Amino acid sequence: NNQAIGQFMPANLQAALNARPNPNAPVQLNYGIPEPRTVLTNVDTYNITAGLQGSIPGTDWTWEAFVNAGESITFARQTGTYSLTRARSLLQAPGFGLDYVNNSNTASIRQNTVNGVAYGFGANIATCTSGFNIFNGWGNISQDCKEALKADLKNRETMKQTIWEANATGTLFELPAGPLQAAVGVSYRKENYQFINDTITTQDASFLDQSIGIYPSVDFQNGFDVKEVYGELAVPVIKDSFVKELSLELGGRISDYNTTGTSYTYKALANLAIVDWLRFRGGYNRAERSPNIAELYLTPQQTFAVNSIGDICSQKSNYFISANPTAPGNNATQAADIKAVCSAVMDNTGGPGTSGTYYAQVSTQPGPGIGFSFPTIFGNSKLKPEIADTYTFGVVLSSPFSSPMLSRARLSVDWYAVHLTHAIGVSPAATLQRCLDPFYNPLVAGAAGNSAQAIAAATSTACAGPSTTITYDPSPVGLGRITATYTNEGEAKISGIDAQFDWGADVGPGTLSLNVVGSYYLYYKVKELAHNPLVNYVGTFGTGSLGLQTGVYRWRMLTNLGYKMGPASIGLQWQHLPPVQDAGEAVAPTPNQVGDPHSYDLFSLNGSYAMTSNVNIRLGVDNLFNRAPPLVNYQSNFDNTGANTALQTLRGGSYNSQFYDTLGRRFYIGANAKF
């Protein structure tokens, strides 16, 4: 209690604890060991390629055949990590382990004749002269105590790959518009991956100890092989007739995986040049992606993840599947059923009374929007390949003018639409919904009036099965461990326009050039589960689910302006990003999660000078105007100090280093030399 450890606490902290109505009431302190974590990595890689190439006499056909074999072994040692069990032992010992002595083999103890310390035969011995007194500062903790806590981690990864491949290209025969050319090939590829974990972080093995702040995982080894055959045709249809040119590009590939069976992919593209300065292009492409080794065979891995829908057992949730009857798309009957199943899940996993504590008052339940979780994820050997259908259409305009200032102008504009089905994904949000959505767990419907049915729903495979498990912690009550596996239920529809403008002209003694690349999203609709509506993420940071890229800005632009004179060149780059909202705004708009309310412009300056044909000097300034990154994901409605006294909270927020510069202005200089 506080009186027992008072001699080790700072006086002001002890006084504050004693001033409470119950001086010995529980108190929780968060302490982070102030030692930096570092990872020392050794990578040994070899890659051997051997092959033959040649041509067929009397034709333009060429061929090649080769084998490629490689292996990469990565050994990583992570320092700055510490044992949880040993830390608890010291904290729970008298005086926080002052003059602590212990060993790992108490079954065989005798006296050390040098210093009188008891130790076991063949045992590890540890001492802690100063004790692990966190109130005294890390710098005042003795070195032997730090060594007693230390738990450096050693992991090893091995990746092996073997490829056999043969290709041939040449002309099949002549058509009126030109030669019909073909490319054919066969290949065989085998990959194998192995991960050997440090014992102290091995799930289901090191059950007496773990490393503080490191998620447990499991040793892993598996692989796959695939046999493929492909063919492509370049078909000239029209040449210098009523149009300048019309050609087709046709192709197909058959891939036979030992994991997912046979996949068929194909494409049909067209290129139409009306005149020299006007060209149209477009076509269709069917692609399939077979699941990778991790998606198929990953052993249980604990990790940190974003829960995009938050806690849907909360009566403050605004998700359409939740315990809140006023959430958009929800109703009172469904909300009551979900609450009943939530209560059964809480009492079943957190112990009797957990749901009563959770639902005692609405104000203490989690609010709407994105939350965080610590799921345990594992592979699914029953996965099927993802399928993507892509349509494109574009136009290319080359300058029809011969004047020096206009002759090198070129503009291309391309529209695209991608439809991804059977998309592979895993997320805590999907696991929560599978448990509580009547579409996936029919026992949820009617559970509000039937306690036995609610319990049956909470203990069904949808909530407590081997692939979907959710739990609640009893104190403080909240969403606990989630177990999830990969599925093929995801879908995405993405469409947009890409444009590029290039221009150049001789100005003065050198050449001035301009390149502008822009993109615009028409829609970016995604869903993880079959029962969900497609959510349009355009104008938000987007979702990382289904392996998709984040940062779904409505539009963006990158401009490069350069000038080259002889061996010297200089360039200015301008990156523009428009305002963007938090991804939670797309899922369920809320007033408390916002993105950057302003646009973001980043400029960089670069230059180079070729001293000789073999030596080139380069230098530049990144973030030329020292543009600060915007604060994102913060709560609004806070005063100018960043606090809300009514809620007794700070606004929070973070800096996104993926899309904004978090380092500030910086200079560089370097050289390239050829020998």
Side-chain angles (χ1 to χ4, degrees):
N1 58 45
N2 297 333
Q3 303 301 325
I5 65 174
Q7 58 180 312
F8 301 100
M9 280 188 176
N12 57 347
L13 179 58
Q14 179 65 22
L17 294 175
N18 288 333
R20 297 178 299 164
N22 180 4
N24 289 319
V27 62
Q28 178 175 313
L29 298 175
N30 294 322
Y31 176 76
I33 295 177
E35 282 285 323
R37 286 181 178 174
T38 61
V39 179
L40 307 175
T41 304
N42 290 328
V43 180
D44 296 313
T45 302
Y46 78 82
N47 192 73
I48 300 175
T49 301
L52 298 171
Q53 62 182 14
S55 59
I56 299 177
T59 71
D60 64 351
W61 278 83
T62 61
W63 60 269
E64 66 173 6
F66 67 89
V67 59
N68 177 285
E71 182 179 68
S72 179
I73 301 175
T74 303
F75 175 79
R77 177 183 177 185
Q78 184 171 345
T79 63
T81 55
Y82 297 87
S83 161
L84 177 62
T85 299
R86 283 176 265 156
R88 285 177 173 170
S89 297
L90 292 177
L91 290 172
Q92 294 169 0
F96 297 115
L98 181 65
D99 293 325
Y100 184 89
V101 179
N102 206 341
N103 77 94
S104 62
N105 189 4
T106 57
S108 175
I109 299 178
R110 61 188 178 86
Q111 292 297 312
N112 184 312
T113 57
V114 177
N115 55 22
V117 175
Y119 66 92
F121 174 74
N124 296 319
I125 184 170
T127 62
C128 183
T129 306
S130 65
F132 187 34
N133 182 1
I134 61 175
F135 304 106
N136 200 29
W138 182 252
N140 294 316
I141 295 175
S142 58
Q143 187 60 36
D144 65 331
C145 197
K146 294 177 181 179
E147 292 293 330
L149 294 169
K150 186 183 297 184
D152 291 355
L153 306 179
K154 299 97 174 175
N155 301 319
R156 183 180 296 273
E157 295 177 88
T158 302
M159 182 69 186
K160 295 181 179 180
Q161 179 176 264
T162 302
I163 301 173
W164 296 81
E165 187 168 322
N167 303 288
T169 61
T171 300
L172 292 177
F173 48 82
E174 290 289 331
L175 294 174
L180 174 65
Q181 295 183 311
V184 295
V186 296
S187 69
Y188 171 79
R189 176 164 52 96
K190 183 176 182 180
E191 294 185 9
N192 187 275
Y193 175 80
Q194 180 188 59
F195 175 74
I196 300 176
N197 198 29
D198 193 287
T199 302
I200 198 174
T201 54
T202 300
Q203 182 79 272
D204 302 327
S206 183
F207 57 89
L208 293 178
D209 197 6
Q210 71 179 69
S211 180
I212 297 174
I214 303 295
Y215 311 129
S217 56
V218 178
D219 289 355
F220 172 66
Q221 180 173 356
N222 222 306
F224 71 91
D225 63 71
V226 55
K227 298 181 284 290
E228 295 183 300
V229 57
Y230 80 91
E232 293 186 3
L233 293 174
V235 185
V237 180
I238 301 174
K239 183 72 172 180
D240 295 326
S241 181
F242 60 94
V243 295
K244 181 70 175 179
E245 179 186 359
L246 173 62
S247 62
L248 301 177
E249 183 180 331
L250 308 175
R253 180 182 294 265
I254 302 174
S255 304
D256 182 23
Y257 288 84
N258 72 322
T259 52
T260 57
T262 304
S263 293
Y264 300 91
T265 58
Y266 37 88
K267 65 179 179 180
L269 306 176
N271 190 351
L272 171 63
I274 304 297
V275 291
D276 288 336
W277 55 269
L278 177 60
R279 181 181 299 270
F280 296 95
R281 60 191 181 189
Y284 166 77
N285 187 298
R286 160 62 67 91
E288 292 193 14
R289 185 185 75 86
S290 183
N292 59 38
I293 295 175
E295 292 165 341
L296 288 167
Y297 304 119
L298 181 70
T299 51
Q301 307 284 313
Q302 285 188 14
T303 186
F304 174 83
V306 173
N307 176 9
S308 61
I309 62 175
D311 187 355
I312 57 178
C313 283
S314 171
Q315 294 169 297
K316 293 164 62 178
S317 172
N318 58 5
Y319 197 61
F320 79 104
I321 300 295
S322 70
N324 180 8
T326 63
N330 204 9
N331 59 69
T333 300
Q334 179 173 270
D337 291 338
I338 292 172
K339 180 183 176 183
V341 177
C342 285
S343 298
V345 169
M346 293 176 189
D347 292 339
N348 183 54
T349 59
T354 301
S355 64
T357 302
Y358 184 92
Y359 286 117
Q361 53 182 341
V362 177
S363 62
T364 59
Q365 297 170 32
I370 290 177
F372 299 96
S373 61
F374 297 89
T376 297
I377 297 173
F378 60 95
N380 179 2
S381 61
K382 298 180 180 180
L383 289 175
K384 299 179 294 183
E386 296 178 333
I387 299 175
D389 294 297
T390 302
Y391 300 87
T392 61
F393 177 77
V395 58
V396 181
L397 295 170
S398 300
S399 174
F401 307 104
S402 59
S403 66
M405 296 300 294
L406 297 176
S407 62
R408 280 176 269 180
R410 185 176 185 271
L411 173 67
S412 64
V413 180
D414 291 278
W415 165 87
Y416 64 88
V418 181
H419 186 196
L420 177 65
T421 58
H422 301 96
I424 299 171
V426 58
S427 75
T431 302
L432 283 171
Q433 186 172 337
R434 285 194 188 92
C435 170
L436 300 171
D437 190 340
F439 180 84
Y440 295 99
N441 190 356
L443 291 171
V444 173
N450 188 328
S451 60
Q453 183 176 329
I455 293 173
T459 56
S460 67
T461 55
C463 294
S467 60
T468 54
T469 302
I470 64 172
T471 65
Y472 276 77
D473 297 328
S475 181
V477 178
L479 190 59
R481 184 173 65 89
I482 297 177
T483 301
T485 189
Y486 295 90
T487 69
N488 277 111
E489 289 189 71
E491 180 182 0
K493 293 183 177 181
I494 303 170
S495 180
I497 297 173
D498 292 333
Q500 179 172 330
F501 176 74
D502 294 284
W503 173 84
D506 295 332
V507 178
T511 301
L512 183 66
S513 63
L514 175 67
N515 169 261
V516 182
V517 178
S519 63
Y520 182 90
Y521 278 119
L522 298 171
Y523 54 80
Y524 199 102
K525 300 176 181 180
V526 183
K527 67 176 182 179
E528 292 184 278
L529 295 175
H531 187 223
N532 287 1
L534 286 164
V535 175
N536 191 356
Y537 284 92
V538 171
T540 75
F541 276 121
T543 174
S545 63
L546 310 182
L548 298 172
Q549 294 182 348
T550 56
V552 191
Y553 296 86
R554 169 64 73 177
W555 65 281
R556 63 174 68 187
M557 185 175 68
L558 180 65
T559 302
N560 287 281
L561 180 65
Y563 189 78
K564 181 176 177 59
M565 183 177 64
S569 66
I570 187 170
L572 178 67
Q573 183 184 84
W574 170 31
Q575 176 188 348
H576 175 80
L577 296 175
V580 67
Q581 292 292 323
D582 182 83
E585 296 293 313
V587 178
T590 59
N592 65 324
Q593 295 291 328
V594 299
D596 174 31
H598 307 290
S599 60
Y600 184 79
D601 295 281
L602 190 68
F603 291 85
S604 296
L605 188 67
N606 61 82
S608 67
Y609 183 81
M611 300 182 65
T612 68
S613 60
N614 294 325
V615 179
N616 187 70
I617 304 296
R618 50 187 169 80
L619 68 164
V621 184
D622 289 337
N623 197 348
L624 182 62
F625 300 111
N626 202 28
R627 180 74 155 87
L631 184 70
V632 297
N633 295 339
Y634 61 85
Q635 299 184 78
S636 59
N637 300 322
F638 282 72
D639 60 30
N640 56 11
T641 67
N644 188 318
T645 54
L647 298 176
Q648 297 184 344
T649 57
L650 300 175
R651 69 175 181 175
S654 60
Y655 295 104
N656 189 311
S657 60
Q658 183 176 359
F659 301 105
Y660 304 107
D661 190 288
T662 57
L663 299 177
R665 183 190 296 118
R666 52 203 182 274
F667 304 85
Y668 66 87
I669 184 170
N672 295 332
K674 297 179 181 179
F675 299 96

